[in-house]
Amino acid sequence: MGRLKEYQVIGRHLPTETNPAPKLYRMRIFAPNTVVAKSRFWYFLMKLKKVKKSNGEIVTINQIQERRPTTVKNFGIWIRYDSRSGTHNMYKEYREMSRTEAVDAMYQDMAARHRARFRSIHILRVVELEKTSDIKRPYITQLIKKDLKFPLPHRVPKKANNKVFAARRPATFA
């Protein structure tokens, strides 16, 4: 279980006399708790629309659960992040059990490879890749073969009359 959870946050501008029924805005936010999810919602809504926390309200916030948490799935993630030199768009693929685990792996990967912090990464889209033809990255395509085997080198072969003590070390190379 990762540290992130997926939330659906629905908010809107406060009703006024000129606009008694304002438009609702829905976002899927990955955050450790509801407080951070609401904060990220207002951060993105302020950038996309002219709605601030002071002149808006959150209608509802729900945690989204994974439908099939026991099966391995492939995920494609579109992100935009700020590096030391500028803003970059990126597409990455992960093979995980859930969307939140894939996003958690993406944050760890971006921190390791690009020194990108949580605050500088904006997740644009997370999609489960249903068909194998949708997978683009070779490090994921090598894992979806039917005859995939993981060899186990350095194994000591079992003998029928195995003694407790031996005069020489076992040979572990096949």
Side-chain angles (χ1 to χ4, degrees), residues 112-123:
R113 293 178 195 269
H114 304 282
R115 303 295 186 264
R117 310 291 187 262
F118 178 82
R119 65 180 177 271
S120 66
I121 299 172
H122 301 163
I123 299 170

Side-chain angles (χ1 to χ4, degrees), residues 134-152:
D134 293 341
I135 298 170
K136 298 179 182 127
R137 302 293 185 251
Y139 54 86
I140 300 296
T141 53
Q142 70 182 356
L143 296 173
I144 58 172
K145 294 177 185 166
K146 289 281 186 199
D147 59 341
L148 182 66
K149 291 180 183 173
F150 294 99
L152 300 169

Side-chain angles (χ1 to χ4, degrees), residues 18 41 50 52 90 124 129 134 137 154 158 164-165:
T18 57
F41 173 78
K50 286 191 172 182
K52 294 194 299 185
M90 198 176 280
L124 303 177
L129 304 172
D134 293 341
R137 302 293 185 251
H154 297 292
K158 298 278 187 202
V164 177
F165 299 105

Side-chain angles (χ1 to χ4, degrees), residues 51-63:
V51 180
K52 294 194 299 185
K53 186 179 178 185
S54 60
N55 61 13
E57 65 179 350
I58 289 182
V59 177
T60 183
I61 181 165
N62 304 322
Q63 185 177 343

Side-chain angles (χ1 to χ4, degrees), residues 5 20 27 32 39 41 45 59 61 85 96 99 105 133 135 145 155-156 163 165 168:
K5 299 177 185 82
M27 287 186 200
S39 174
F41 173 78
L45 200 60
V59 177
I61 181 165
S85 59
E96 296 288 337
R99 289 168 59 96
S133 60
I135 298 170
K145 294 177 185 166
R155 287 290 173 132
V156 179
K163 296 179 179 68
F165 299 105
R168 59 183 175 83

